[in-house]
Amino acid sequence: MEIGFNAEETRFREECREWLHANVPEEKRPLHAADALEFDKAWQRRLFDAGWAGINWPVEYGGRGLSIVQQVIWLEEYAQADAPWIGANFVGVNHGGPTLIMNASEEQKAYHLPRILKGDAIWCQGFSEPGAGSDLAGINTRGRIEGDALVVNGSKIWTSFAHVADWQELVLRTEEGSLRHKGLSWVICDMHAPGISISPIRKMSGQVEFAQVFYDDVRIPLENVVGGLGNGWRVAMSTLSFERGTGFIADQVKQSQEIDELISTARANGKIRDDRIAGELGQMRAEVAALRAMTYRNISTVIRTGQPGPESSVIRLFTSELGQRLERMGVLLMGSAALDFRYGDDNIVHDYLRGFAATIAGGTAQIQRDIIAERLLGLPKSR
């Protein structure tokens, strides 16, 4: 991959920048998920109507069919413009939809993909379970075949936006007696189906964004299975690779902006004269640049192979842990003013508290290290 962009890509960047400058909402996205739902839907619809939703998705499903390089440019400009996080649309747009494009039937794609892009259907992820955590191979939620349906029983936890979702990408065990990654299936679950109950969980930042979901004899049509019964592990791996691929580009642009703001703050309050603080700020600035370079390398892998490889776990791990250190530095620079924080405030303390979830969501830091050790370094499996 060449480092840099050609004339066509540069013109595309200018097109992105011009539209974002004219359309990014002046009002901030509400902090709480329930309050933000209508905001998220309205913003997603504006993106779709202008042709900016799913720019790399196939044209027949509402996308623009553009290249992954153009997707990267769009995400970079999106973050630079301080455009809103897509919030409740995150799961559907960033990995549910791409997973359907790669693995679903034509009927499944035709029904779900346009609804995701328009913001008409909110999706959540049903991977983590009580007792299994991020160990997807350890899940126990089961689906037994009865006629033309799976009858599902069990529970999922840490399910972001479950209380507002219409659909769920649900991984469950469909083969009796199967162990680990064998006998799993990836299915589309209607979150309004009888037998589903949802218990929201309040985070230490004061927000309610995720929940525990219970399944009591929930009937899911067999036609909702994606990629075939028993192939859930393979389909789920493609889901997670999308999340760990281009899904963090906007975060990296934000981190680059954040480190510049932290350095400005340290200069303004004189703490830059502390050698330890100055050293840490310099180290983090270098790491932000290294992270962007690793991401571009990963993008070149996607261009060659068609999908992200296990290298994306390095980016996933590095981005989340660097983000936590940046937010911790922000609180340190605030000094005693950090003690005035109130739950619900939109400031660095809020980001610091929320940042603890970054090394848990989408696979814990330990899971990422296991993937790196086994699939990149060729070390023996840990279990």
Side-chain angles (χ1 to χ4, degrees):
M1 177 183 182
E2 294 183 5
I3 303 300
F5 300 93
N6 61 35
E8 180 184 355
E9 290 161 349
T10 300
R11 285 194 296 273
F12 179 72
R13 184 181 293 280
E14 291 169 355
E15 181 189 353
C16 298
R17 192 172 297 170
E18 182 178 341
W19 188 87
L20 288 163
H21 178 73
N23 288 277
V24 168
E26 293 184 2
E27 67 274 23
K28 281 186 170 293
R29 177 181 182 272
L31 278 175
H32 294 275
D35 299 333
L37 181 60
E38 294 309 313
F39 180 95
D40 294 342
K41 286 186 169 183
W43 175 236
Q44 184 65 25
R45 184 67 194 212
R46 189 188 296 188
L47 291 169
F48 176 82
D49 288 343
W52 294 107
I55 60 172
N56 63 326
W57 286 27
V59 174
E60 59 267 36
Y61 305 122
R64 289 176 61 174
L66 301 181
S67 70
I68 192 169
V69 173
Q70 288 168 309
Q71 184 191 15
V72 170
I73 291 170
W74 164 253
L75 292 171
E76 288 179 339
E77 290 302 317
Y78 190 95
Q80 290 285 359
D82 201 22
W85 180 48
I86 61 173
N89 296 291
F90 179 85
V91 171
V93 170
N94 280 336
H95 49 85
T99 301
L100 294 180
I101 291 170
M102 176 170 284
N103 300 283
S105 67
E106 284 305 314
E107 291 77 11
Q108 290 166 337
K109 293 177 188 177
Y111 182 83
H112 289 287
L113 293 177
R115 288 169 172 78
I116 291 172
L117 282 191
K118 292 176 183 175
D120 291 342
I122 302 300
W123 281 57
C124 63
Q125 187 179 55
F127 281 21
S128 297
E129 289 190 7
S134 295
D135 180 14
L136 189 60
I139 66 171
N140 281 307
T141 294
R142 296 177 184 278
R144 68 176 187 277
I145 298 176
E146 279 191 9
D148 60 355
L150 287 168
V151 179
V152 178
N153 286 278
S155 175
K156 298 289 180 177
I157 198 167
W158 315 125
T159 309
S160 300
F161 301 105
H163 54 304
V164 298
D166 302 296
W167 300 95
Q168 182 181 52
E169 48 183 25
L170 175 63
V171 175
L172 67 167
R173 197 166 293 283
T174 53
E175 291 181 16
E176 190 66 31
S178 62
L179 296 174
R180 302 299 295 166
H181 60 283
K182 307 287 188 183
L184 303 176
S185 295
W186 195 107
V187 303
I188 302 168
C189 175
D190 181 352
M191 290 297 286
H192 306 294
I196 289 181
S197 58
I198 299 168
S199 179
I201 300 171
R202 184 174 296 278
K203 301 187 297 185
M204 65 179 175
S205 64
Q207 295 172 294
V208 176
E209 279 187 356
F210 46 56
Q212 185 167 4
V213 183
F214 301 91
Y215 310 84
D216 184 9
D217 284 339
V218 177
R219 294 185 67 84
I220 300 177
L222 283 172
E223 64 187 22
N224 283 20
V225 175
V226 173
L229 277 170
N231 294 323
W233 180 261
R234 177 184 61 78
V235 180
M237 290 304 99
S238 70
T239 303
L240 295 174
S241 68
F242 286 119
E243 183 184 43
R244 296 165 189 167
T246 57
F248 292 97
I249 289 175
D251 289 334
Q252 293 163 14
V253 174
K254 292 290 185 185
Q255 287 176 343
S256 179
Q257 295 168 335
E258 188 174 350
I259 188 65
D260 289 341
E261 291 169 4
L262 291 176
I263 291 171
S264 296
T265 300
R267 284 175 172 155
N269 64 20
K271 293 188 177 181
I272 197 72
R273 291 191 290 273
D274 183 318
D275 289 343
R276 184 179 62 86
I277 289 177
E280 286 190 26
L281 287 170
Q283 176 72 24
M284 288 190 286
R285 171 177 268 179
E287 290 180 13
V288 166
L291 187 55
R292 293 293 296 281
M294 284 194 291
T295 298
Y296 283 155
R297 183 181 185 280
N298 196 48
I299 295 301
S300 71
T301 299
V302 175
I303 292 172
R304 287 199 315 273
T305 65
Q307 62 177 315
E311 296 86 354
S312 54
S313 283
V314 177
I315 296 170
R316 168 75 176 88
L317 176 65
F318 204 140
T319 301
S320 58
E321 294 195 341
L322 176 59
Q324 287 181 338
R325 289 164 51 214
L326 283 167
E327 289 144 8
R328 189 161 55 243
M329 175 60 76
V331 172
L332 176 65
L333 293 179
M334 283 182 70
S336 58
L339 299 175
D340 293 334
F341 170 74
R342 295 170 298 172
Y343 284 131
D345 286 353
D346 183 16
N347 62 24
I348 190 66
V349 182
H350 172 273
D351 293 342
Y352 170 70
L353 294 175
R354 194 176 188 281
F356 283 94
T359 48
I360 300 173
T364 64
Q366 187 55 53
I367 289 291
Q368 307 306 323
R369 287 189 167 87
D370 282 350
I371 294 172
I372 294 166
E374 294 170 10
R375 301 185 199 172
L376 284 180
L377 303 179
L379 298 177
K381 290 184 179 297
S382 60
R383 56 184 178 279

